Amino acid sequence: MACEWSKAMGEEGLCEEVIEAILKMGFKRKASFAHAFVDSNVFEDWLTRFKLKLVSFKDLDDAEWLTSPTCGDLRAFWKKSSGEELPAPASAKHLPLLGSLSLPAKFGAADREALLKVFESNYPGAALTPETTPFLPYLQTIRSQCQQKSWAWVAWRRILSEAALWGVQSRKAGTKKRDLTEVLAEAAGLCGEEWDLDMGGSPHRIFQILCTRAHAYALCGGGHLQNWLTYTHKFISHYSRKYGAGWRAPNPTEAEDADREVLTEVFKQVLRDGVSLDTALDCVVREDFFRHYLGPRPRLVQKALPGLEEDVVVKKPKRRLPQPLTDGKKQRDNQGKGKLTGEPKQRAQSQCFAFKKTGKCAFGADCKFQHAE
């Protein structure tokens, strides 16, 4: 067997001095030599010590020895004996695409159904509706965060539910023609959808968005569902609060900024203090972090610009006075304006019906109507 072992080392290009030194060290067969080194670091340390066993290489320093052809033959022989493959030269065909190393594993509909089954067993009383069921690409993003423990806030426009996705796709289909590659990428879950319309200031719509996020984290194991829903209800109660005159509630953009600040504080506590996600959520709700970011805003009052009142004079329409009745005619004066001439005409006085009918009046001379005969 020793002869076969020596012959195998000679076929790999090892010189006689190296073969004799290996045999003197006790390596009588291939298996003992292959499994004596658990990894390449241990083998490199052995090569440094093995130089002292060779008379021809004693005078070389470590750098020259480790880069010598003899060390190269020894490395190739050890890797071949231990079953390891030599590193192949990189080619453009085998190079990974940009960003493929950081992307999570493919997450399909079957994986989501498995998560939904676990969710139903963990939360029997929770009902998932199309308005609060996370869309597949968004669920994959949250699943990647939970697996890698790399927590990050996601913008509201990218938190899509199944119902919201249907609305977005129907609007896209009605406005423009879609390319085949876009349809195939969307079917494979490779495109990131987002809201294409203004979300408005409806608390109900924002509540659905935050509930979709809560269900996504609960599905992927990122905290308990009850803690996320408590966070959501506390946020909506601050956002929909009514204020008196001179003050207003925050708009949707300010509310989204507030959610980013509070949730970033949650993730900081998890990464910095080493607490669980449930503990961090309970802390921000108990300490009421929302009051710092969702407080009332002063209502702006429109005022006139300086000097505007002096330049612009509002003229009131003149009231037209009733003209007296006259029997004269209009005449033009020297300035071309018309004026009335003659004496004022007396208005006709109404007759007394009692005097006209019976010839008598109870008021006599004091009657204000005319007694005509």
Side-chain angles (χ1 to χ4, degrees):
M1 183 178 291
C3 296
E4 295 179 358
W5 171 235
S6 301
K7 185 179 180 180
M9 288 189 289
E11 292 176 353
E12 295 297 331
L14 298 180
C15 61
E16 293 294 336
E17 184 181 3
V18 173
I19 295 174
E20 291 178 0
I22 292 175
L23 293 175
K24 287 182 180 179
M25 293 182 67
F27 296 109
K28 302 297 182 181
R29 58 195 183 96
K30 181 179 179 180
S32 61
F33 181 78
H35 297 286
F37 315 104
V38 294
D39 56 17
S40 59
N41 294 329
V42 178
F43 183 75
E44 293 295 327
D45 294 338
W46 178 82
L47 283 177
T48 305
R49 299 190 305 270
F50 184 67
K51 181 187 69 170
L52 303 177
K53 307 291 183 180
L54 305 175
V55 180
S56 303
F57 300 96
K58 275 187 177 181
D59 298 335
L60 294 178
D61 56 2
D62 293 343
E64 292 181 358
W65 160 248
L66 293 176
T67 57
S68 63
T70 304
C71 280
D73 294 338
L74 285 170
R75 290 189 187 97
F77 179 68
W78 172 72
K79 289 183 179 182
K80 184 178 180 180
S81 302
S82 59
E84 295 188 9
E85 296 182 358
L86 294 176
S91 60
K93 182 178 180 180
H94 298 91
L95 286 177
L97 296 177
L98 181 62
S100 62
L101 297 179
S102 61
L103 289 177
K106 186 69 176 67
F107 183 77
D111 300 325
R112 184 179 62 175
E113 292 301 325
L115 292 179
L116 290 175
K117 186 178 295 185
V118 176
F119 179 84
E120 292 175 356
S121 61
N122 292 337
Y123 308 102
L128 282 175
T129 61
E131 287 76 14
T132 57
T133 302
F135 177 45
L136 192 60
Y138 172 67
L139 190 61
Q140 182 179 2
T141 302
I142 301 301
R143 181 171 175 266
S144 175
Q145 289 187 14
C146 296
Q147 288 181 346
Q148 302 176 8
K149 304 300 180 183
S150 58
W151 312 105
W153 179 82
V154 181
W156 286 1
R157 290 183 176 272
R158 301 194 64 86
I159 302 177
L160 277 178
S161 62
E162 292 293 337
L165 174 68
W166 298 336
V168 171
Q169 291 179 346
S170 62
R171 288 190 293 271
K172 282 187 176 181
T175 54
K176 63 177 182 179
K177 294 183 179 179
R178 307 176 65 186
D179 192 7
L180 179 60
T181 56
E182 182 182 355
V183 176
L184 294 177
E186 184 178 299
L190 300 179
C191 59
E193 296 285 355
E194 63 179 26
W195 289 97
D196 56 349
L197 294 177
D198 185 14
M199 292 183 298
S202 172
H204 177 67
R205 185 175 299 179
I206 296 178
F207 178 75
Q208 288 182 346
I209 293 174
L210 298 184
C211 282
T212 303
R213 182 178 66 186
H215 288 149
Y217 276 101
L219 278 167
C220 301
H224 198 275
L225 177 63
Q226 185 62 38
N227 293 325
W228 281 104
L229 291 181
T230 304
Y231 175 97
T232 300
H233 285 284
K234 192 75 173 180
F235 185 92
I236 294 299
S237 65
H238 278 272
Y239 173 72
S240 58
R241 185 174 297 176
K242 302 298 182 182
Y243 299 99
W247 300 91
R248 64 172 179 85
N251 55 39
T253 303
E254 295 169 343
E256 186 176 9
D257 294 340
D259 178 66
R260 183 182 67 250
E261 295 293 335
V262 177
L263 206 58
T264 302
E265 179 63 27
V266 171
F267 295 149
K268 281 183 180 179
Q269 292 184 14
V270 175
L271 299 175
R272 179 188 57 200
D273 302 334
V275 300
S276 64
L277 194 58
D278 293 328
T279 304
L281 287 172
D282 181 68
C283 177
V284 297
V285 172
R286 185 178 64 255
E287 299 295 334
D288 198 6
F289 276 55
F290 305 101
R291 71 179 185 273
H292 301 294
Y293 304 102
L294 286 176
R297 270 69 170 174
R299 192 182 299 275
L300 300 179
V301 180
Q302 295 182 355
K303 294 183 178 180
L305 296 177
L308 183 61
E309 297 180 355
E310 300 177 359
D311 298 338
V312 180
V313 179
V314 180
K315 296 182 179 180
K316 295 182 178 180
K318 294 184 179 180
R319 184 181 178 184
R320 186 175 181 180
L321 299 176
Q323 298 293 334
L325 296 176
T326 61
D327 53 357
K329 298 180 179 180
K330 275 189 176 182
Q331 295 182 358
R332 298 286 177 180
D333 55 6
N334 297 333
Q335 298 179 357
K337 296 182 179 180
K339 61 178 182 179
L340 297 176
T341 59
E343 297 295 333
K345 183 178 179 181
Q346 297 293 333
R347 293 182 180 273
Q349 190 176 6
S350 302
Q351 294 184 359
C352 180
F353 291 102
F355 185 84
K356 183 178 180 181
K357 186 176 181 179
T358 60
K360 296 180 180 180
C361 180
F363 297 98
D366 297 332
C367 184
K368 59 181 181 179
F369 298 102
Q370 183 180 5
H371 292 175
E373 296 182 357

